[in-house]
Amino acid sequence: SDIPKSIERINKAIDRKEKIIVYSDYDADGVSATAVLWETLKFFGADVLPYVPDRISEGYGLNVTAIKKLFADNVSLIITVDHGVTAKKQVEFAKKLGVDVIITDHHIIPEEKPAPYAFVHTTELAGCGVAFKLAYEFAKTKKAESIVFPKIELVALATIADLVPLNHYNRALVKFGLEELNRTKRPGLKVLIENSKLKLGEIESWHIGHVIAPKINASGRLENAIQSLRLLCTENSENA
């Protein structure tokens, strides 16, 4: 895994005040992964924004039109979450423009794999689990892991939503993630739980898989998943 290389590139981007994009997928796993990485990099002073593609007009994963648009907006580093292993041509296109791409993904790598600046990949975790690992290791270099650990609630949500087998590392992520989720401070999760007629302190994997995650998935299917990302990340109860 290219975690050290990724951390070095992110630090360089922060030092140079480069624009960074966390390029999302539009399901619960992708949106949760985006929240984890975006919030972490933002906390450490990065000039970072999320980009959530439109399912209908842009389709799944990196696309050339979006890369062009981001390049025109002076973005020089794109970090994918929950996608990227099939984006060989898109990564090559970004390279020609001088845009570095860090891929974080958990899908099976095809024979013709892309050659990004860095590759953070395992099929053992959900996409959010991979993003969390990068965020956690990044924070660790700043001796600030405690900033990232509470975000494990989103990893639990994403791991269950994406039907990742609950063994080994995933079982630990979900165990501790459920504990965090049941005492969440996120206004969006609190409102979502309340509106679902559920109670904090009583949330289990079934509630995530059958009630909470489908609602987070819904905005990406009906309109644009940016609404779900806003819900997860807002610090304002009224907005939530």
Side-chain angles (χ1 to χ4, degrees), residues 85-129:
V85 294
T86 60
K88 188 173 187 291
K89 289 177 183 173
Q90 294 90 326
V91 168
E92 283 171 11
F93 180 76
K95 270 186 187 174
K96 283 175 187 170
L97 294 178
V99 177
D100 286 332
V101 178
I102 294 172
I103 290 173
T104 79
D105 199 358
H106 71 131
H107 294 100
I108 294 168
I109 299 173
E111 278 185 33
E112 284 194 46
K113 65 178 183 179
Y117 182 89
F119 221 131
V120 181
H121 175 270
T122 176
T123 56
E124 298 293 312
L125 304 174
C128 188

Side-chain angles (χ1 to χ4, degrees), residues 32 35 75 143 157 164 185 198 209 219 226:
S32 299
V75 170
K143 296 186 168 59
L157 192 159
V164 178
K185 292 176 182 171
L198 303 175
S219 73
I226 193 74

